[in-house]
Amino acid sequence: MFHKEKSIQLKNSASALYNNLSVLRIAPRRLTYFTVVHANVVNMVSTSWDGLNYSHRQLQSKEPNVATSTSLIMQAAFCALPSRDLLVVSSQKGIQMYESDGSIMVYWHALDTPEAPTAHAVFARGISAVSDNYICVGVSSGAVLVFDIPSKGSNITLSEVLEEHKEAITDIASECSGSQECLANLVTADDGGNMCVWKSGEEFQLLNKIPGLDITCSSVKLWKGTVLAGYGTGQIRLYEAVTGILHAEVNAHARWIYSLDIAPFSGLLLSAAEDSFVRVWHLAITPETNSVEIAHLHNECVTDTQICGAKFCDGDGYAFAVTGYDLSEIIRYVQS
Amino acid sequence: MSTRTLPLLFINLGGEMLYILDQRLRAQNIPADKAKKVMNDIITTMFNKKFLEELFKPQELYSKKALRTVFDRLAHASIMRLNQASMDKLYDLMTMAFKYQVLLCPRPKDILLVSFNHMDAIKDFVKDTPSILSQVDETYQQLIEMYTPLSNGEFQLIRQTLLIFFQDMHIRVSIFLKDKVQNSNGRFVLPTNGPVPRGTQIPGLIRIFSCSGEELTRLQFNNGGNYSSKTVVCLQVNSAPNPLAKEELNLLARLMGGLEVQKPGSTDTGFRVNLFATDEEEEEALISRPNELSYGVISIQATKDQQANAELTKIMGEFTESGDPSSSASSKGDDLLAMMDGL
């Protein structure tokens, strides 16, 4: 169903972090950007669709004062809003937002870091664009920061702090930007597997809480009103967002899931875990009849690799890319 | 990332170091009383109260250079002397061994079990010396108190922190290559068969539910691996050294080269230890570990930490032959090193 294509070489290897791959497709310029985090560096690769041109860039996490200490990056993700695309980098020190090509930093938000380290680590993790003009970033305290993004310029402001989670945020996802109208358009997940479902707006509204079973939800997606959640036990669960009804449960992987992705136009779902497997599934969701179907389509085994990132390269799921711990390449697969 | 990683890193690396040294001392036929003294001295230094107090404080991990320096000091906390090459090899082995264990932990919390196994072995080394044993016991208690309440998610953060520390280390270790646990490119073999961790189901089942919660459909899919559900429990058993272990230590010994004896101190007679004179000796050092911690060959690539680390330079600058601690130690590594020098 899929076959392997030529890999993209990286300047250094991927770190073992959840959702450690982000992809941005720039159709007008026939380019695709990839970002992979290595410790305190974001590796960016820009590839032309004809496969002939590659360019690399590295972004370091900003250190406002101290020259010697390292600030490890937890996640780097592209946020595609109707008016602009931004690259958001979340680290132990704070949140940086860049123009999507990584050329200019447009915003910096510092986290409240205590004078001396405390038993609970401080970091930002979980990044998503929401609706037309928001970007949400999670924090280790469980808070979710909501940033208001103007259509251009650097006048980005912190508009709200959502405080529902008690454990560190792991991942955030949204759907329905632009013209679509959705009841729920944001889901946030934490280390205990608890999830909150929100509706964005001037004030974000909490619609539902889906309790976890003390099992980390490491990756989450929202599609057609359904929460797709990947867990540390290797399970994938599909919940109806606003009601919390469990529609499907898949014993998908033998180890901790690190990444989920959905191709919204085709309903293809991608899951990747420490067990070296990437799996492709097909989802059929009919909100009107409350019916959910999930079928397994394909497996890829990346030998001797604990996978940490897997993303579709386009909205149809025609191609996907994979990163693994200690691997200095982005492996690509294309439908046969 | 996690501010609770350093104690686990130190104790597990220290435990690995002690396994290797213990085997080497016996393989080299070092007189039992001298060997015991070496082990006791190192363990006493490792579990020094003030040292551990500093270690257990919430803090970021040390840089690779800083941690290496800590272990250099630890390895020389006795009358045993190691040359640079031997110390390099010892450190390579220790780090690759622990990297392997961290990578292959079925669940993040299993890192704690690995740590307990190392602690058990250390206790066994000093079981005849009550004063040191009580120190080790106290630390054991501290570990239990500090880490047992942590969730799996918090342990995964600790594990991710450790994996960043071990990133890009692919040094090939002959015993691991031989046991086919490591590939010739230095990467560990990650099997897609065997038991799934406790709490995880064998991949293959899809269940669809109705709105009222009853199961509507069951589907099976091929998971591409060969998993079983037999649970593996990490037992704390001290197994007798494997005679084959001798072979392995010899290999390591050959790779590490012989030790040069340094001029003995005025009172204690130092002694020469060929840490790993032959390949066989190297393998021996690794095989003699308890079975539940057995690993295959691990490729280690010694990483070169290119960054000039101001903190580290300061630490290094404070090293003197006499080993007097600097009273103006200010950076985090300094405190620990100063304490070690002062012991």
Side-chain angles (χ1 to χ4, degrees):
Chain A
M1 186 189 173
F2 284 88
H3 65 267
K4 203 163 139 178
E5 263 214 330
K6 192 171 140 210
S7 294
I8 304 169
Q9 296 305 313
L10 291 169
K11 293 288 181 202
N12 40 37
S13 57
S15 291
L17 299 163
Y18 304 140
N19 307 300
N20 192 5
L21 173 65
S22 188
V23 181
L24 183 69
R25 198 163 177 267
I26 305 184
R29 294 170 57 202
R30 302 181 66 77
L31 286 179
T32 303
Y33 293 156
F34 298 87
T35 59
V36 181
V37 176
H38 169 97
N40 62 337
V41 166
V42 177
N43 288 301
M44 277 191 72
V45 185
S46 157
T47 64
S48 59
W49 288 3
D50 58 13
L52 296 177
N53 292 309
Y54 295 90
S55 78
H56 298 259
R57 172 176 253 145
Q58 286 189 319
L59 304 172
Q60 284 218 293
S61 75
K62 179 183 154 93
E63 279 303 300
N65 301 311
V66 189
T68 51
S69 68
T70 54
S71 171
L72 295 172
I73 297 173
M74 304 300 289
Q75 193 178 2
F78 289 108
C79 290
L81 292 165
S83 54
R84 68 199 292 193
D85 298 326
L86 289 176
L87 171 63
V88 180
V89 178
S90 66
S91 69
Q92 290 180 272
K93 289 285 187 313
I95 297 152
Q96 298 160 268
M97 298 193 192
Y98 291 85
E99 294 297 353
S100 60
D101 62 358
S103 57
I104 312 163
M105 185 167 77
V106 295
Y107 183 68
W108 158 248
H109 173 94
L111 289 178
D112 288 324
T113 37
E115 278 277 314
T118 58
H120 285 99
V122 175
F123 55 83
R125 179 177 62 187
I127 301 168
S128 182
V130 185
S131 184
D132 291 354
N133 58 322
Y134 297 110
I135 287 178
C136 290
V137 182
V139 181
S140 47
S141 60
V144 176
L145 307 177
V146 180
F147 295 96
D148 198 304
I149 315 289
S151 55
K152 54 175 180 269
S154 54
N155 188 23
I156 295 168
T157 54
L158 177 64
S159 114
E160 208 183 340
V161 178
L162 309 174
E163 278 167 336
E164 277 301 326
H165 291 272
K166 304 280 181 290
E167 296 177 70
I169 302 295
T170 46
D171 197 17
I172 295 179
S174 77
E175 68 166 343
C176 303
S177 70
S179 53
Q180 281 180 286
E181 262 303 306
C182 284
L183 192 50
N185 61 353
L186 176 69
V187 62
T188 53
D190 70 26
D191 243 354
N194 306 298
M195 294 186 287
C196 291
V197 178
W198 312 80
K199 182 171 171 62
S200 67
E202 285 239 349
E203 267 182 38
F204 275 53
Q205 206 190 333
L206 176 69
L207 297 180
N208 190 23
K209 282 172 98 152
I210 302 174
L213 303 163
D214 253 342
I215 298 164
T216 303
C217 171
S218 44
S219 195
V220 74
K221 285 283 169 295
L222 188 59
W223 187 62
K224 293 197 176 177
T226 306
V227 171
L228 321 168
Y231 294 88
T233 50
Q235 265 195 348
I236 297 173
R237 293 207 208 108
L238 275 54
Y239 291 95
E240 188 173 277
V242 288
T243 59
I245 292 172
L246 177 67
H247 278 306
E249 187 178 84
V250 184
N251 296 339
H253 288 276
R255 293 286 189 278
W256 205 280
I257 290 177
Y258 262 60
S259 188
L260 285 187
D261 196 23
I262 184 91
F265 304 143
S266 61
L268 288 183
L269 173 71
L270 197 63
S271 67
E274 282 178 355
D275 63 359
S276 305
F277 278 99
V278 185
R279 306 196 197 275
V280 185
W281 318 78
H282 183 254
L283 291 193
I285 296 178
T286 323
E288 294 79 37
T289 56
N290 265 327
S291 84
V292 168
E293 280 165 39
I294 175 165
H296 174 257
L297 294 183
H298 183 72
N299 295 326
E300 284 290 341
C301 179
V302 186
T303 314
D304 298 334
T305 304
Q306 295 196 348
I307 303 172
C308 52
K311 282 271 179 347
F312 284 114
C313 297
D314 57 272
D316 289 296
Y318 176 71
F320 65 88
V322 172
T323 58
Y325 169 66
D326 258 354
L327 217 57
S328 298
E329 57 184 302
I330 300 173
I331 308 176
R332 288 189 295 179
Y333 300 87
V334 166
Q335 275 192 37
S336 308
Chain B
M1 300 203 348
S2 175
T3 52
R4 293 183 266 226
T5 316
L6 189 58
L8 293 180
L9 182 61
F10 178 75
I11 284 168
N12 283 292
L13 285 182
E16 287 297 323
M17 184 175 85
L18 289 165
Y19 282 138
I20 296 168
L21 288 179
D22 174 63
Q23 253 303 329
R24 277 291 73 214
L25 292 167
R26 282 188 276 135
Q28 290 285 300
N29 295 312
I30 301 296
D33 60 328
K34 278 212 163 107
K36 208 176 183 77
K37 185 152 174 30
V38 169
M39 295 298 284
N40 281 354
D41 284 349
I42 293 178
I43 294 173
T44 305
T45 309
M46 198 174 144
F47 287 89
N48 169 268
K49 211 176 169 75
K50 280 186 87 179
F51 182 86
L52 286 176
E53 222 172 77
E54 210 29 63
L55 193 81
F56 272 81
K57 283 185 188 159
Q59 59 193 303
E60 295 291 334
L61 274 191
Y62 288 0
S63 69
K64 287 186 183 155
K65 275 194 183 143
L67 195 72
R68 167 64 196 263
T69 307
V70 169
F71 279 101
D72 279 351
R73 304 316 262 172
L74 191 59
H76 289 88
S78 72
I79 51 177
M80 179 185 72
R81 288 291 166 265
L82 303 179
N83 68 11
Q84 183 65 28
S86 293
M87 189 62 220
D88 285 346
K89 281 276 163 40
L90 173 63
Y91 193 72
D92 287 348
L93 258 192
M94 283 157 54
T95 42
M96 286 310 289
F98 188 42
K99 177 176 182 176
Y100 181 79
Q101 289 157 31
V102 171
L103 198 58
L104 262 78
C105 265
R107 302 175 311 158
K109 232 174 182 173
D110 293 343
I111 291 176
L112 193 55
L113 296 180
V114 170
S115 311
F116 288 160
N117 276 347
H118 281 119
M119 289 296 286
D120 281 341
I122 294 170
K123 277 177 69 168
D124 194 59
F125 288 135
V126 293
K127 61 178 183 283
D128 297 331
T129 321
S131 56
I132 315 172
L133 185 60
S134 73
Q135 259 306 104
V136 178
D137 268 329
E138 229 181 272
T139 309
Y140 215 141
Q141 269 308 117
Q142 244 185 314
L143 273 182
I144 293 172
E145 272 167 32
M146 183 157 154
Y147 291 101
T148 325
L150 297 186
S151 66
N152 261 304
E154 284 166 304
F155 260 103
Q156 182 67 285
L157 188 70
I158 289 174
R159 183 170 172 275
Q160 290 174 344
T161 311
L162 288 169
L163 287 177
I164 288 181
F165 185 84
F166 291 127
Q167 194 139 359
D168 302 321
M169 293 181 77
H170 303 293
I171 302 164
R172 285 189 296 277
V173 175
S174 45
I175 163 98
F176 298 143
L177 289 166
K178 209 161 85 167
D179 274 6
K180 300 226 186 308
V181 169
Q182 185 180 36
N183 297 312
S184 54
N185 64 2
R187 289 158 191 281
F188 298 129
V189 173
L190 301 183
T192 54
N193 52 32
V196 290
R198 193 155 57 91
T200 294
Q201 306 295 321
I202 298 176
L205 185 61
I206 301 172
R207 300 167 75 195
I208 312 278
F209 300 97
S210 73
C211 292
S212 55
E214 54 174 292
E215 189 183 290
L216 292 175
T217 336
R218 254 183 192 235
L219 299 164
Q220 288 281 351
F221 68 90
N222 177 15
N223 63 31
N226 187 12
Y227 301 103
S228 64
S229 61
K230 184 180 72 135
T231 48
V232 171
V233 177
C234 220
L235 296 173
Q236 297 180 4
V237 169
N238 291 320
S239 56
N242 186 337
L244 283 177
K246 259 195 180 324
E247 297 304 292
E248 304 191 79
L249 268 180
N250 288 337
L251 173 62
L252 180 58
R254 190 169 73 227
L255 293 176
M256 286 180 68
L259 257 49
E260 283 159 23
V261 85
Q262 296 195 357
K263 295 273 178 287
S266 48
T267 51
D268 251 325
T269 45
F271 61 89
R272 182 199 312 257
V273 173
N274 261 342
L275 199 52
F276 301 100
T278 66
D279 284 352
E280 291 72 55
E281 286 173 359
E282 171 192 332
E283 295 176 37
E284 189 177 314
L286 302 170
I287 286 188
S288 71
R289 296 160 65 259
N291 287 333
E292 63 273 10
L293 290 173
S294 66
Y295 43 70
V297 186
I298 296 174
S299 293
I300 306 174
Q301 283 168 3
T303 51
K304 296 219 186 285
D305 194 351
Q306 299 296 335
Q307 279 181 309
N309 186 329
E311 166 200 322
L312 185 67
T313 311
K314 192 172 169 193
I315 295 170
M316 295 299 278
E318 280 154 11
F319 291 164
T320 61
E321 279 309 304
S322 60
D324 284 335
S326 157
S327 55
S328 63
S330 56
S331 48
K332 54 190 181 193
D334 288 354
D335 300 334
L336 265 176
L337 291 165
M339 265 185 264
M340 292 186 84
D341 286 350
L343 294 170

